[in-house]
Amino acid sequence: MPAFRQSLIWFLFFFIALNIVGLWFFQLSGRRESTEPTSVTISSPAPSIIPSSTPSPVSTSNSEVSQLNKTVTALQAQLAQVIERVTTLEEAATTINSTPTEKTTVIYISPSPTSATKEFVVYLGAGSTFSKDWTEISATTFTFEPSNYPKVKSITFEAGLSIQGGEARARLKNKTTGNSLVETEVMHNTGTSTWKWASFAPPSTGTTYVVELKSSSGEKANLDGARLKIVTY
């Protein structure tokens, strides 16, 4: 997008310059024609010379300069609008393409602001592996504290997975006990990143989780994102 914006701006500057040069050439040609001498055959007796009522070249020049200024002003205004629009599109594209990389918690209230049910979304992180064995993605470590989420109704583990060949598998591991949560295992087998999910029972005490990832074929398995959805009463 920055390269497109720069090309567009240079094109508009070139367009403005071309218009200015064209108007200047037209003005210069008019002056030359108005000042070019004309051969006159004088017979005797010489006729009286009557002053011409044609506007002077100075008046014509001033009119052309005024029109040229108006044209340049209009083109500059159009250029400013285009630059503003391109900037807006760049900001929108950046917002759409951004992926959460830090652990943040977002609260959604469903189905209405007066409802007691709340949904907490915790972003865990991302990673990849070529290993055919379960591999911990350290960037996804998260400690769940029940006291922060009173009356937990359900927890869902979600993983965005992609792989070019074979299967990319992901699941949660309870680092506090060392046990893997087999009920959270999800799988995907195409190069298009897709979210998969599985629910599990909420723990009654503070528990640290980490995402495990593996490739069934040895191809690069991508965890494009992972998150927990915690629903409370």
Side-chain angles (χ1 to χ4, degrees):
M1 181 64 73
F4 169 75
R5 177 184 177 187
Q6 185 176 8
S7 298
L8 181 59
I9 292 173
W10 275 112
F11 171 77
L12 289 174
F13 273 123
F14 176 76
F15 179 75
I16 293 172
L18 186 61
N19 275 270
I20 294 174
V21 172
L23 290 172
W24 176 82
F25 180 77
F26 175 77
Q27 174 188 342
L28 182 60
S29 298
R31 289 183 178 179
R32 287 180 177 175
E33 290 177 1
S34 63
T35 57
E36 187 174 312
T38 335
S39 62
V40 179
T41 303
I42 302 176
S43 60
S44 180
S48 59
I49 300 175
I50 302 174
S52 174
S53 60
T54 305
S56 65
V58 175
S59 299
T60 304
S61 175
N62 289 338
S63 175
E64 292 175 352
V65 170
S66 176
Q67 183 62 38
L68 176 61
N69 289 336
K70 290 180 181 179
T71 302
V72 172
T73 301
L75 291 173
Q76 288 176 339
Q78 293 177 6
L79 176 61
Q81 292 177 356
V82 172
I83 292 175
E84 181 180 358
R85 178 59 178 165
V86 171
T87 301
T88 302
L89 292 174
E90 284 183 346
E91 292 175 351
T94 301
T95 302
I96 293 172
N97 294 330
S98 60
T99 303
T101 55
E102 297 182 357
K103 296 178 182 179
T104 56
T105 302
V106 182
I107 301 176
Y108 299 89
I109 300 177
S110 175
S112 67
T114 58
S115 174
T117 302
K118 295 181 180 180
E119 183 178 89
F120 298 79
V121 180
V122 182
Y123 293 96
L124 302 179
S128 61
T129 185
F130 291 91
S131 178
K132 294 183 179 181
D133 298 321
W134 288 108
T135 304
E136 293 184 9
I137 307 300
S138 58
T140 64
T141 305
F142 169 73
T143 299
F144 175 84
E145 292 291 348
S147 59
N148 295 334
Y149 310 93
K151 298 182 180 180
V152 176
K153 180 181 180 180
S154 65
I155 301 182
T156 301
F157 166 62
E158 297 186 351
L161 300 172
S162 63
I163 190 171
Q164 293 300 325
E167 298 175 350
R169 294 180 175 271
R171 68 185 182 186
L172 283 179
K173 178 180 179 179
N174 185 331
K175 287 183 68 69
T176 303
T177 62
N179 297 324
S180 297
L181 279 66
V182 294
E183 66 271 25
T184 64
E185 184 173 333
V186 292
M187 178 274 292
H188 187 58
N189 58 4
T190 73
T192 302
S193 182
T194 304
W195 287 97
K196 301 292 183 176
W197 59 90
S199 298
F200 64 100
S204 57
T205 60
T207 304
T208 298
Y209 294 103
V210 67
V211 178
E212 290 185 313
L213 183 68
K214 77 172 183 177
S215 168
S216 66
S217 61
E219 296 289 338
K220 184 180 180 181
N222 300 301
L223 178 69
D224 302 309
R227 61 195 179 199
L228 294 180
K229 284 188 177 180
I230 306 168
V231 179
T232 65
Y233 293 102

